[in-house]
Amino acid sequence: MNPYILAILLFGLGLGTTITFASSHWLLAWMGLEMNTLAIIPLMAQHHHPRAVEATTKYFLTQAAAA
């Protein structure tokens, strides 16, 4: 994975966590959790192993159904 993309994903993961912890409203907490989800999905599929891709797909579908 490109180091710039990896840095952006890790920054988004950190920012989402910070927003979730610092939120005083449920909408901000939800936004932070969604940012974490969008950042972690490409990181889960980073290793091109069939189980990693399967886990990523299942995680995405479960999260999409819950949202």
Side-chain angles (χ1 to χ4, degrees), residues 41 44-63:
I41 287 176
M44 285 175 63
Q46 182 177 1
H47 302 291
H48 297 292
H49 190 273
R51 288 190 179 175
V53 175
E54 179 186 0
T56 304
T57 305
K58 286 179 180 178
Y59 182 78
F60 175 74
L61 292 174
T62 304
Q63 193 66 21

Side-chain angles (χ1 to χ4, degrees), residues 14-49:
L15 184 64
T17 303
T18 304
I19 288 174
T20 302
F21 283 145
S23 66
S24 59
H25 195 268
W26 64 269
L27 185 62
L28 283 173
W30 178 74
M31 278 180 33
L33 291 173
E34 289 298 322
M35 284 179 66
N36 281 340
T37 300
L38 291 176
I40 200 72
I41 287 176
L43 292 174
M44 285 175 63
Q46 182 177 1
H47 302 291
H48 297 292
H49 190 273

